[in-house]
Amino acid sequence: MIKRSVALLISPVLIPGAIVAQPSSAVDLGRAFPGMLAGISDSNLPIEPIGVSDLIRLTVSDSPELSRSFRIDLQGNLTLPLLRAPISATGLMPSALGNEIAAALRAQHLLVNPVVVVAVVEYGSRGITVSGAVKTPTTIQDLGNLRVLAALVQAGGLLPGAGPEIIVEQANGTAQRLSVRKLFDGLHPELNIPVGMGSQITVPECERVFAVGDVKRPGAFPFLSVEDTTVLQLLALSGGLDSFSRNKAYIYRTEPGNPNKKEIEVPLKRILDRKSPDVKLSANDILYVPTNGTLKASESLLALLSSQ
C-alpha cells in the first residue's frame, strides 16, 4: 500500500506556567489549526528521502509567505524567503526537513510556535525517465505498479525511427534489453516489467544502412537486424535498380580498429537471377551500385536522335 508522503512536525510552545496540548495526528492538527491542511497535494507518493530537484509543499502556521511549493535546488538546498541561509535538504525525510525548518524559524525569532507540514509533491530526483526515440521524452513520477508499456504510453509511444530494442536500467544498476517486437505483440507479458523510482527507459534510434549510386531512391534506411536486412531488401526499400546498373555492386563496411572502410564485392546480377545467395548487411553498411556509363550514354544518344 502506498503511503501519503506527508510529514508533520509540531514544535512545543514555551509559555511560563502553562502546558500547551499538542495535536497528535493530522486530524487533531486540522482541528487545532483550521484550514491549515487545505492545499496540501494529495500526491500519494511513497515516503522517500528528499533529493535534488524534488518539489515540496510547505504549510506553516501564521506564515502565508512560506505556505507554498518550493523546489530543492541543484546543490540540494531549500531556500526560504524569510531565512538568512538555505537549509540543506538532500537525504532528509520530509519529517526531518520539517524539524530543520521549524528550528531555523525559532532560532531567527521569526515564529514562536511554528507548525510545519511538509509534503513531497514531486520526486524530481528519482522520477522514471523515458528518453530516446519516443514522441515526448518525459520524467514520470512513480505512483506505484508502473510498467514499461504504461511508461512508453505516457511518453507518447515510439517514433518510426525507433530501434528493435528498449533498454531498461533499474535504480539498483541492473539493465535489461527488451525486444520491441515481442513487447508489443501481446504474447510475451513477462517482458512488460515493472519500473520504479530512479529507473531509466531508453529507446535507441534504429541503426541505418545506406543505398547510393544507381538506385531510384538513394538514402538511409532502417537496419533492424542481420536477418532482416539484406542486399535485396535494401534494393527494394530504395525503389530498385536503374536500368543502367552494372552487374556488380559494392558494400563498404566499417570494422573495429580499421579507420578505412572494407570493400566487399557483391555479384548483383547473379543474386537477382537467383544464381547466388542474397548477402546480409551489417549496421552502417553502404551499398554502392555503380552506373554503367557506356550503356547510359548509348541510350541517351538514341533518345536524342529519335527526337530530331
Side-chain angles (χ1 to χ4, degrees), residues 19 36 58 69 84 91 94 96 99 129 136 144 173 217 236 241 255 267 276 296 308:
I19 299 176
M36 181 177 174
L58 298 184
S69 297
R84 292 191 293 267
N99 284 329
T129 60
T136 311
R217 291 194 301 271
L241 295 171
E255 295 183 330
S276 290
K296 189 165 188 177
Q308 292 180 349

Side-chain angles (χ1 to χ4, degrees), residues 64-144:
E65 61 271 30
L66 294 180
S67 298
R68 58 186 180 87
S69 297
F70 296 88
R71 177 80 65 179
I72 307 300
D73 66 24
L74 296 179
Q75 288 70 46
N77 297 321
L78 171 64
T79 301
L80 299 179
L82 299 180
L83 297 181
R84 292 191 293 267
I87 296 175
S88 179
T90 52
L92 298 179
M93 300 297 285
S95 58
L97 179 58
N99 284 329
E100 295 289 333
I101 296 170
L105 292 172
R106 288 196 301 269
Q108 296 180 35
H109 307 289
L110 296 172
L111 292 174
V112 176
N113 181 33
V115 180
V116 180
V117 177
V118 179
V120 179
V121 178
E122 175 185 300
Y123 279 116
S125 59
R126 291 176 301 283
I128 299 166
T129 60
V130 186
S131 60
V134 292
K135 294 181 180 177
T136 311
T138 186
T139 299
I140 303 168
Q141 296 305 307
D142 178 25
L143 300 179

Side-chain angles (χ1 to χ4, degrees), residues 60-265:
V60 183
S61 59
D62 299 324
S63 183
E65 61 271 30
L66 294 180
S67 298
R68 58 186 180 87
S69 297
F70 296 88
R71 177 80 65 179
I72 307 300
D73 66 24
L74 296 179
Q75 288 70 46
N77 297 321
L78 171 64
T79 301
L80 299 179
L82 299 180
L83 297 181
R84 292 191 293 267
I87 296 175
S88 179
T90 52
L92 298 179
M93 300 297 285
S95 58
L97 179 58
N99 284 329
E100 295 289 333
I101 296 170
L105 292 172
R106 288 196 301 269
Q108 296 180 35
H109 307 289
L110 296 172
L111 292 174
V112 176
N113 181 33
V115 180
V116 180
V117 177
V118 179
V120 179
V121 178
E122 175 185 300
Y123 279 116
S125 59
R126 291 176 301 283
I128 299 166
T129 60
V130 186
S131 60
V134 292
K135 294 181 180 177
T136 311
T138 186
T139 299
I140 303 168
Q141 296 305 307
D142 178 25
L143 300 179
N145 201 31
L146 185 68
R147 294 181 177 270
V148 171
L149 280 177
L152 293 174
V153 169
Q154 292 196 42
L158 305 184
L159 292 174
E165 290 186 326
I166 295 171
I167 302 172
V168 180
E169 298 178 72
Q170 304 287 8
N172 61 8
T174 61
Q176 187 172 352
R177 291 179 175 269
L178 307 177
S179 166
V180 171
R181 183 182 299 174
K182 292 181 179 179
L183 180 64
F184 283 89
D185 67 8
L187 302 177
H188 302 82
E190 70 280 2
L191 295 183
N192 189 22
I193 59 176
V195 288
M197 287 190 301
S199 297
Q200 296 183 2
I201 301 173
T202 305
V203 184
E205 290 189 1
C206 188
E207 294 183 284
R208 298 284 192 260
V209 287
F210 305 86
V212 296
D214 214 14
V215 292
K216 293 181 180 178
R217 291 194 301 271
F221 301 91
F223 175 80
L224 301 178
S225 69
V226 173
E227 299 299 327
D228 294 335
T229 311
T230 66
V231 168
L232 286 180
Q233 290 169 331
L234 181 55
L235 289 177
L237 290 172
S238 59
L241 295 171
D242 191 288
S243 57
F244 304 106
S245 299
R246 291 176 181 263
N247 293 332
K248 295 179 181 179
Y250 298 91
I251 295 172
Y252 293 93
R253 179 172 297 166
T254 301
E255 295 183 330
N258 186 358
N260 299 318
K261 291 184 180 295
K262 179 181 179 182
E263 183 181 87
I264 304 170
E265 186 177 293

